[in-house]
Amino acid sequence: MWCEINMATRVYKYGLIPIGYPAKETIDELFKANVLWNNLVALHRKNREDWDDARRAASVLYSDKIDDLEKKEEDLDAAWKAFQQARMDEGTRDETNNKRLKSERASINRLDTEKAEIYKELKPLRKEADKEIDKKQLNDAYRTKVNEAVSVRNSGIYSATAGQILENFKTARDRSFKESATTLRFHRFDGTGYYQFRCRRKGTNVDGISIDDFMSRNFEANPRCAVQSIDNSKKKPRIRIDAVLVGGQSKASKIHQEFDLIYHRPLPIDAQIQNGKILRTRVGDKFKYDLVLTLKIPDKEPISYNNLKGTIGIDIGFRRSVNSLLIGTVMSSDVTEEAYEIIVPPKIVEAFEHVIDLKSELDDAATDLGRIITPLMKAHPLDEDHSKYKMWRSLALRPAHVTLSFEQAYKLAIWLKHEPDTFPEEITKKVHTWWRSYSRKYRELHNRRRNQLTHRKHFYREEAAKIVALNKLIVLEEINLTDFAETKEKNTKLSKKARAQRFMASLSEFRDAIKNAAQRDGIGIIDVNPAYTSKTCSECGNLNKDLRSEKQWSCPACGVVHDRDENAANNLQKMGQTYLESLKKETSEVIE
């Protein structure tokens, strides 16, 4: 039956509450999974080295050009360090009127250009070298080692989990080949990970079971994850599930763990469950569990633009209102429907502000602790073979301009709590005093932040459902949301307050909620170029080039008074009308 219907893939996520603390073997399973990932990364890097060695042996010109590239990359790294030091010395990130920063930036740009030229010259040399090497031998050797690493015999973990890790690794590896800025990295084990399982009917080799099968345990004889019981006495059903987190085919090797699943969103009745995983993620100094199910759902009918009842323009952007945060303005093509603003509830904003203030307090406390203990720890070095040497080095020998983060301070406190004799009593006592003062606030920070992220997600989903229910073509601005973020290599014009508001608003999450809801219900949605949508009069089309950041403005050509956001949303929905008209014209031409 499933093969006869076009299916769409959906992912559903539910919170889990473990019944009792999971066995040590289950954490060991995550550690082995982490080791497997790192082994695959090591094999990838060795494979790249083997390819490079083969090319060097095949072409002297290629070898010389690679040496030039490596030297240029070293010069570029040194230039970036000099630039960052100049920022510290000058006490500014603004390069507009600072000669030293301008000079350092010019050096970086020059080296980038020279590096690009080397890459350009290297490309044909690489192609010529590739003709001379045995590619099949290199690829076969790599695949053999990967298969050996993933095997249950060598990895020591459940085959489905190992297979999923390999799939994730292949995706990341392919991306690293396509995007030069992407690098496969080793992962430090922090207690997080996942347990994979597959859902399959007994006697078949094809994944996929119905929702009824999952709820009634009516599929495999010994499923790795299945419902034990359902409690409907509460507002939201609570489902007890039993999961096998460790072990293979033999019953004796399996370690079970029971969870209560918070069933906040019903699974679609006509869906089939393909597979799932139980996630273990860190929240502060604790861990939380989630059940993630991958479903196949009968696909909606193709979007029929003729059936849409007009267009909707949504101007997305954060703006602080009196006691809340405006994240979007919606304008419909239906003149009987007034424009309305989407405003984050004040309670969510207040809670986020408390989280931001709490984090600022904790960061300041960690900075103060760092000033006191850093010279003391530096005076009492650890041996290089000590298990915590790297941690000591990152704390005691960090650059002068780098402050101690709260996460680092907290990890130090936990370390000295279990090993108080590592350093003199003076250091241990100061760290313990600090830990007693701020450990509860640390937990409060993470718990509150997690709760508010959940509340915001539900609010955005509700607003997206209201928009989609209007059955109109949805028009969004095509925005690169990374422009709102500040990175180490890029300055932005956003103030600290504006960045905090951006964190509270999370425009990308709101856009994703709208797109997911539209896709789920088969509603058309398009992205358009937002250039001048705020400055163009939606009545007469005049472009007001003198408009700055005013919320209210009047058109100098026709005199109409506009709300900035409503005007932008109106221009967006009109672009949607033009798009629909062009589709109808194309359709009519095809018919003729």
Side-chain angles (χ1 to χ4, degrees):
M1 178 182 70
W2 301 111
C3 297
E4 299 173 357
I5 304 173
N6 290 328
M7 308 291 281
T9 302
R10 297 283 186 274
V11 176
Y12 279 65
K13 184 176 180 180
Y14 300 92
L16 294 176
I17 302 174
I19 308 303
Y21 195 80
K24 178 181 178 298
E25 289 82 357
T26 65
I27 311 304
D28 293 340
E29 183 85 350
L30 298 180
F31 176 74
K32 293 175 183 177
N34 181 260
V35 171
L36 173 57
W37 172 272
N38 289 337
N39 287 341
L40 293 175
V41 173
L43 290 174
H44 163 75
R45 295 188 177 184
K46 180 64 169 61
N47 176 250
R48 294 296 89 200
E49 290 176 2
D50 291 343
W51 272 77
D52 198 52
D53 290 343
R55 289 185 181 119
R56 282 176 177 267
S59 171
V60 176
L61 293 176
Y62 174 83
S63 181
D64 292 341
K65 192 60 65 176
I66 281 290
D67 290 337
D68 293 342
L69 179 62
E70 291 175 351
K71 178 62 170 63
K72 194 63 62 178
E73 287 176 340
E74 291 177 2
D75 294 342
L76 192 57
D77 288 340
W80 270 111
K81 290 179 181 178
F83 178 66
Q84 291 166 354
Q85 186 61 47
R87 278 181 170 177
M88 293 299 301
D89 295 342
E90 300 294 322
T92 181
R93 298 171 66 89
D94 185 7
E95 304 170 29
T96 307
N97 299 313
N98 190 296
K99 291 183 179 180
R100 183 179 176 187
L101 293 184
K102 279 185 176 180
S103 175
E104 297 292 354
R105 175 67 74 177
S107 297
I108 291 173
N109 293 339
R110 175 179 55 79
L111 290 170
D112 269 331
T113 302
E114 293 172 357
K115 180 181 174 181
E117 287 296 323
I118 295 176
Y119 265 122
K120 188 176 180 180
E121 296 170 2
L122 188 64
K123 192 173 181 179
L125 295 177
R126 181 186 289 114
K127 288 183 177 180
E128 290 299 319
D130 284 347
K131 294 178 182 178
E132 305 298 326
I133 63 178
D134 190 346
K135 300 178 186 178
K136 185 176 184 303
Q137 187 273 331
L138 290 169
N139 289 331
D140 288 348
Y142 168 73
R143 279 193 291 268
T144 300
K145 291 178 181 177
V146 167
N147 291 335
E148 289 176 355
V150 175
S151 67
V152 175
R153 181 183 68 258
N154 291 319
S155 67
I157 60 177
Y158 180 53
S159 58
T161 302
Q164 186 60 46
I165 292 172
L166 178 59
E167 288 302 312
N168 294 343
F169 173 78
K170 287 180 178 177
T171 301
R173 190 170 190 257
D174 290 342
R175 184 182 175 189
S176 71
F177 289 146
K178 294 176 183 177
E179 302 176 15
S180 58
T182 303
T183 305
L184 285 174
R185 301 183 185 279
F186 295 110
H187 291 171
R188 181 179 61 85
F189 181 64
D190 61 352
T192 64
Y194 59 83
Y195 310 91
Q196 185 79 15
F197 59 88
R198 304 170 72 175
C199 295
R200 182 175 292 177
R201 293 182 182 87
K202 187 177 180 180
T204 67
N205 292 321
V206 180
D207 289 345
I209 61 171
S210 69
I211 303 302
D212 288 339
D213 283 345
F214 181 74
M215 292 297 183
S216 59
R217 201 186 180 101
N218 184 27
F219 49 110
E220 292 182 4
N222 296 297
R224 294 190 73 88
C225 183
V227 173
Q228 296 286 86
S229 61
I230 301 176
D231 180 7
N232 290 310
S233 62
K234 303 182 183 299
K235 185 177 180 181
K236 294 179 180 178
R238 180 162 293 194
I239 300 174
R240 179 66 59 87
I241 67 170
D242 175 73
V244 177
L245 302 187
V246 180
Q249 296 295 328
S250 66
K251 185 176 180 181
S253 68
K254 294 179 180 179
I255 295 179
H256 293 254
Q257 175 66 41
E258 291 189 345
F259 297 91
D260 274 348
L261 182 149
I262 311 304
Y263 199 53
H264 61 85
R265 182 170 52 145
L267 291 166
I269 297 176
D270 56 350
Q272 63 169 332
I273 303 176
Q274 295 295 107
N275 55 64
K277 62 179 65 172
I278 293 177
L279 295 175
R280 187 177 194 255
T281 53
R282 180 181 290 275
V283 180
D285 60 341
K286 296 183 179 180
F287 295 90
K288 74 183 185 78
Y289 292 82
D290 295 286
L291 175 66
V292 179
L293 298 175
T294 300
L295 277 62
K296 281 195 173 180
I297 302 174
D299 209 351
K300 296 284 183 181
E301 291 293 326
I303 297 171
S304 176
Y305 291 95
N306 292 327
N307 296 331
L308 295 175
K309 301 176 181 178
T311 61
I312 294 175
I314 307 176
D315 178 52
I316 295 179
F318 61 87
R319 186 189 297 274
R320 191 60 189 261
S321 59
V322 178
N323 59 349
S324 188
L325 200 65
L326 169 68
I327 61 163
T329 303
V330 181
M331 175 69 77
S332 170
S333 59
D334 189 342
V335 294
T336 63
E337 297 176 4
E338 294 184 357
Y340 69 91
E341 296 177 335
I342 300 176
I343 298 176
V344 179
K347 288 185 178 180
I348 294 181
V349 174
E350 290 173 6
F352 268 122
E353 287 178 338
H354 178 70
V355 169
I356 292 170
D357 292 340
L358 192 58
K359 184 179 184 305
S360 179
E361 178 186 351
L362 295 177
D363 286 339
D364 291 343
T367 299
D368 292 339
L369 176 67
R371 293 194 188 101
I372 297 172
I373 67 166
T374 296
L376 298 176
M377 292 186 68
K378 190 173 183 179
H380 296 85
L382 297 179
D383 294 333
E384 291 189 11
D385 58 351
H386 193 282
S387 60
K388 298 290 186 179
Y389 174 76
K390 288 185 178 179
M391 185 174 180
W392 169 85
R393 183 182 178 85
S394 67
L395 296 171
L397 303 182
R398 69 182 189 280
H401 64 276
V402 178
T403 60
L404 182 67
S405 70
F406 195 87
E407 295 286 346
Q408 288 177 312
Y410 196 87
K411 290 176 182 177
L412 173 62
I414 297 299
W415 169 21
L416 296 186
K417 181 181 178 181
H418 292 94
E419 301 177 28
D421 298 329
T422 305
F423 296 107
E425 184 180 358
E426 180 184 11
I427 298 176
T428 305
K429 188 175 181 180
K430 289 182 184 299
V431 173
H432 282 176
T433 301
W434 176 88
W435 183 81
R436 286 192 295 270
S437 300
Y438 293 100
S439 59
R440 288 188 177 181
K441 289 188 176 182
Y442 177 76
R443 294 190 183 96
E444 179 189 0
L445 169 68
H446 286 280
N447 290 334
R448 284 181 176 270
R449 187 177 189 275
R450 180 184 60 182
N451 291 339
Q452 295 316 310
L453 290 175
T454 302
H455 293 160
R456 184 182 64 194
K457 181 190 296 183
H458 290 325
F459 170 70
Y460 285 171
R461 284 178 175 173
E462 290 174 355
E463 292 298 321
K466 293 177 185 177
I467 293 170
V468 169
L470 297 174
N471 195 29
K472 293 181 172 67
L473 175 68
I474 300 171
V475 186
L476 297 177
E477 295 175 306
E478 189 178 37
I479 299 175
N480 182 6
L481 294 169
T482 59
D483 290 341
F484 291 92
E486 179 179 6
T487 63
K488 293 180 180 179
E489 290 79 20
K490 183 181 68 176
N491 295 316
T492 70
K493 297 180 180 179
L494 287 178
S495 64
K496 185 177 181 180
K497 184 177 181 180
R499 287 195 297 273
Q501 291 176 354
R502 177 187 180 275
F503 163 70
M504 288 188 285
S506 185
L507 304 183
S508 59
E509 184 175 356
F510 183 43
R511 285 171 59 87
D512 289 344
I514 296 173
K515 290 187 174 183
N516 289 338
Q519 184 184 33
R520 183 176 61 247
D521 291 354
I523 299 298
I525 184 168
I526 60 172
D527 290 330
V528 299
N529 188 341
Y532 305 116
T533 50
S534 296
K535 296 185 177 184
T536 301
C537 175
S538 57
E539 286 292 325
C540 67
N542 177 66
L543 176 60
N544 185 1
K545 295 182 178 180
D546 297 328
L547 183 65
R548 294 295 178 260
S549 59
E550 298 88 351
K551 172 69 171 170
Q552 300 287 338
W553 62 279
S554 59
C555 176
C558 66
V560 174
V561 178
H562 292 293
D563 175 275
R564 181 189 189 91
D565 302 321
E566 288 184 13
N567 178 68
N570 199 10
N571 282 325
L572 290 173
Q573 70 85 13
K574 286 185 176 182
M575 291 181 184
Q577 291 184 46
T578 303
Y579 176 76
L580 287 180
E581 290 171 1
S582 65
L583 283 181
K584 292 177 181 178
K585 184 178 179 181
E586 290 176 6
T587 304
S588 63
E589 288 176 354
V590 170
I591 294 175
E592 292 175 1

